[in-house]
């Protein structure tokens, strides 16, 4: 008798809400961590860049082995639920540690940076395992029902978009309100505590209601998983996969620089920090609306066209930030919204690019590495995080930024280059490579997939 529980709206909503709450909690660090390190921990921009490079390189290394470790594990509460349960604490305290004002009792700025890096590694190292385990819960919850899987992922996107709107509207007010009571630096910690606590509650609720989908299996045999060497070789032997990894790595470097430096525009350059709430809320609303309609436009363009147009729109948004952002804060906000909408043109198709490259690799080399195609998808993200995160600090240092400095025209001009032109350069590299180097049109990808299916059927006979 099948004792598997029936999937209900409660399961779907708890899954989506836990992920949405985690995304919102992480957003506090995405937007304000660099600003917190330079302005409140008193860490120089160059040390910030170096420390983030070290921490994000560690994160990249962990990302390569997380899936392998999970697949070889078998805990008493279920293979994947156990990991989600174990990681609640490290995710929660990792976020708190990054935004804790250690200047109160630690005089050395390098040591302060080290504490932030430790918190960063706690959180992001755990995220590598958390994301893999959460993804594995989808087939456990939905089985082979493809419509249920779509419902789950669509609901997750919808909830994340709504949570983002709410969070964007209240993050800075919470920081300001708590800062007025406890001190400016502790406002950031208070916001982190609030959103991290919401995540913790939502995640524990999800674990409780969805644990029956992942029962303990003492007899469970670990799956055979690809090694790091096999993953790397699946890239090096596939020309289109190499191009795709470079495209996404370069583009992610650009988005990391742009996103990580935005807070300085409102707080330092314009001196209108409160306007960031309006900007983030408007961007989130545009993102939600774009998530409803823009992906369909991307699909009509074809996957390659969607990549070129979407990344190109984002690149031009950054370029125009450099050219016109200083003229008006409203122009900058509009361009933030344009960049957000551009992501949805290609974002929903990301997994398909890697799957297409997997089909191409099998067709051209005869070696079937298609199962590793999606494993490769995480590599450009981590490369972009590491290099982009370092360039944020080095870019600020080049612009001459120090906390509490007098804002000069020289600094502003250099800052606008770093926040706008530099990301645009990395993004345009991706666009050019997509046009010139990425050859997999929808028709070719279909032809390779059909040929591979025929080859597999022939081999089976």
């Amino acid at each position: 008798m099948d004792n598997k529980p029936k999937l209900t709206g409660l399961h779907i909503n708890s899954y989506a809400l836990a992920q949405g709450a985690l995304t919102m909690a992480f957003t506090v660090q995405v937007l304000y961590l660099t600003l917190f390190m330079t302005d409140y921990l008193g860490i120089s921009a160059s040390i910030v860049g170096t420390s983030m490079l070290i921490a994000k390189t560690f994160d990249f290394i962990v990302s390569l082995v997380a899936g392998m470790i999970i697949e070889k594990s078998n805990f008493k509460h279920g293979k994947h639920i156990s990991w989600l349960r174990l990681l609640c604490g490290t995710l929660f305290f990792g976020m708190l540690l990054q935004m804790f004002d250690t200047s109160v009792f630690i005089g050395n700025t390098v040591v302060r940076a080290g504490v932030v890096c430790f918190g960063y590694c706690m959180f992001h190292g755990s995220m590598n395992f958390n994301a893999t385990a959460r993804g594995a819960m989808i087939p456990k919850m939905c089985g082979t029902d493809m419509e249920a899987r779509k419902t789950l992922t669509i609901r997750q996107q919808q909830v994340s978009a709504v949570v983002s709107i709410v969070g964007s509207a209240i993050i800075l007010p919470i920081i300001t309100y708590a800062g007025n009571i406890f001190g400016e630096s502790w406002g950031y910690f208070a916001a982190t505590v609030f959103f991290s606590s919401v995540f913790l509650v939502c995640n524990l609720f999800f674990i409780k209601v969805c644990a029956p989908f992942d029962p303990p299996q003492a007899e469970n045999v670990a799956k055979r998983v690809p090694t790091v060497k096999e993953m790397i070789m699946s890239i090096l032997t596939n020309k289109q996969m190499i191009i795709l990894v470079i495209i996404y790595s370069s583009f992610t470097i650009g988005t990391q620089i742009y996103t990580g430096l935005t807070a300085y525009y409102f707080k330092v350059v314009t001196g209108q920090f409160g306007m960031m709430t309006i900007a983030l809320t408007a961007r989130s609303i545009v993102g939600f609306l774009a998530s409803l309609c823009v992906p369909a436009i991307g699909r009509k363009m074809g996957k390659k066209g969607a990549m070129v147009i979407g990344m190109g729109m984002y690149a031009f948004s950054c370029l125009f930030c450099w050219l016109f952002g200083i003229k008006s804060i409203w122009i900058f906000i509009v361009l933030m919204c344009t960049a957000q909408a551009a992501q949805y043109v290609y974002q929903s198709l990301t997994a398909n690019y890697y799957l297409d490259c997997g089909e191409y690799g099998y067709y051209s080399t005869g070696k079937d590495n298609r199962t590793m195609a999606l494993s490769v998808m995480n590599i450009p993200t981590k490369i972009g995080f590491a290099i982009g995160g370092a360039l944020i600090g080095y870019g600020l240092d080049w612009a001459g930024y120090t906390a509490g400095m007098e804002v000069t025209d020289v600094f502003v001009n250099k800052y606008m280059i770093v926040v706008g032109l530099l990301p645009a350069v990395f993004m345009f590299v991706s666009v050019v490579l997509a046009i010139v180097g990425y050859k997999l049109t929808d028709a070719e990808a279909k032809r390779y997939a059909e040929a591979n299916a025929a080859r597999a059927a022939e081999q089976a006979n």
Side-chain angles (χ1 to χ4, degrees):
M1 181 177 179
D2 186 7
N3 294 320
K4 181 180 177 181
K6 181 180 179 182
L7 186 69
T8 67
L10 178 65
H11 300 122
I12 294 172
N13 290 328
S14 67
Y15 182 94
L17 190 59
Q19 180 59 31
L22 177 58
T23 300
M24 199 61 253
F26 174 48
T27 299
V28 179
Q29 278 77 43
V30 171
L31 293 174
Y32 300 110
L33 180 58
T34 303
L35 181 68
F36 182 76
M37 293 176 73
T38 57
D39 285 30
Y40 300 101
L41 295 184
I43 302 170
S44 70
S46 60
I47 293 177
V48 169
T50 301
S51 61
M52 285 295 99
L53 179 61
I54 294 170
K56 293 181 181 187
T57 299
F58 172 81
D59 175 37
F60 171 69
I61 294 170
V62 173
S63 73
L64 296 177
V65 300
M68 303 172 200
I69 294 174
I70 289 176
E71 286 303 327
K72 291 179 180 179
S73 67
N74 185 26
F75 297 110
K76 65 178 182 179
H77 293 295
K79 181 188 286 288
H80 301 103
I81 282 291
S82 292
W83 280 101
L84 296 174
R85 191 190 304 269
L86 287 169
L87 295 170
C88 281
T90 53
L91 287 168
F92 179 78
F93 288 107
M95 285 188 279
L96 265 56
L97 197 55
Q98 292 176 74
M99 305 298 281
F100 185 76
D101 188 357
T102 53
S103 65
V104 175
F105 53 89
I106 297 178
N108 190 294
T109 57
V110 175
V111 177
R112 290 180 208 162
V115 173
V116 175
C117 285
F118 183 73
Y120 185 95
C121 292
M122 276 182 67
F123 175 75
H124 287 273
S126 300
M127 273 292 291
N128 291 314
F129 289 87
N130 181 79
T132 302
R134 277 183 55 82
M137 285 299 296
I138 294 177
K140 287 189 177 243
M141 293 170 65
C142 303
T144 58
D145 187 341
M146 293 296 112
E147 288 304 312
R149 293 188 185 191
K150 288 180 182 178
T151 299
L152 191 65
T153 54
I154 290 172
R155 183 65 53 80
Q156 177 176 304
Q157 186 179 51
Q158 292 170 339
V159 170
S160 293
V162 172
V163 168
S164 179
I165 293 172
V166 176
S168 297
I170 65 175
I171 286 178
L172 196 53
I174 290 175
I175 291 173
T176 303
Y177 178 76
N180 290 334
I181 298 174
F182 304 108
E184 202 170 344
S185 67
W186 295 104
Y188 293 88
F189 183 71
T192 302
V193 170
F194 175 77
F195 286 104
S196 298
S197 298
V198 171
F199 154 70
L200 188 62
V201 171
C202 293
N203 198 49
L204 289 173
F205 180 70
F206 160 67
I207 290 169
K208 181 178 180 179
V209 300
C210 294
F213 289 98
D214 187 25
Q217 294 179 328
E219 74 284 1
N220 192 30
V221 179
K223 298 178 182 178
R224 196 269 176 189
V225 294
T227 64
V228 174
K229 180 179 178 181
E230 288 173 327
M231 192 183 300
I232 293 173
M233 290 307 297
S234 73
I235 299 174
L236 297 180
T237 58
N238 186 329
K239 291 185 293 185
Q240 287 302 295
M241 187 68 84
I242 292 173
I243 294 294
L244 189 65
V245 166
I246 296 173
I247 288 172
Y248 268 89
S249 296
S250 184
F251 193 79
T252 305
I253 291 170
T255 58
Q256 282 295 297
I257 297 170
Y258 165 73
T259 305
L261 287 172
T262 300
Y264 290 88
Y265 175 83
F266 293 95
K267 187 175 189 294
V268 179
V269 174
T270 65
Q272 300 184 61
F273 202 23
M275 286 293 291
M276 192 166 177
T277 296
I278 296 174
L280 294 177
T281 304
R283 187 179 70 173
S284 297
I285 293 172
V286 169
F288 173 69
L289 296 175
S291 71
L292 300 178
C293 58
V294 173
I297 298 173
R299 284 193 289 270
K300 288 182 179 179
M301 296 176 182
K303 291 193 288 291
K304 177 172 178 174
M307 182 192 295
V308 172
I309 298 299
M311 290 185 175
M313 285 175 59
Y314 205 133
F316 275 110
S317 296
C318 289
L319 182 66
F320 292 155
C321 280
W322 169 55
L323 293 173
F324 308 114
I326 196 58
K327 297 181 184 299
S328 167
I329 197 169
W330 292 107
I331 291 177
F332 195 90
I333 292 173
V334 169
L335 292 170
M336 286 176 64
C337 293
T338 304
Q340 184 75 1
Q343 291 186 74
Y344 289 93
V345 178
Y346 64 90
Q347 195 173 57
S348 62
L349 301 171
T350 297
N352 291 283
Y353 297 125
Y354 289 90
L355 291 171
D356 288 350
C357 285
E359 295 287 0
Y360 166 80
Y362 184 26
Y363 178 87
S364 59
T365 67
K367 188 170 183 179
D368 190 0
N369 287 320
R370 291 176 295 177
T371 57
M372 281 181 275
L374 290 179
S375 299
V376 173
M377 190 166 60
N378 201 35
I379 293 177
T381 301
K382 298 301 182 180
I383 292 174
F385 278 19
I387 298 176
L391 289 176
I392 289 173
Y394 296 144
L396 285 172
D397 186 57
W398 172 77
Y401 181 76
T402 56
M405 64 175 287
E406 180 183 351
V407 179
T408 63
D409 290 341
V410 173
F411 165 74
V412 169
N413 290 333
K414 286 187 174 182
Y415 166 81
M416 295 307 297
I417 290 174
V418 179
V419 78
L421 179 60
L422 183 60
V425 169
F426 281 103
M427 293 175 188
F428 279 124
V429 168
S430 297
V431 173
V432 172
L433 281 174
I435 295 172
V436 177
Y438 189 73
K439 305 294 185 181
L440 298 181
T441 63
D442 287 5
E444 287 187 340
K446 181 180 179 181
R447 179 167 64 87
Y448 295 142
E450 290 174 346
N452 291 334
R455 175 189 288 175
E458 196 175 295
Q459 291 174 347
N461 296 327

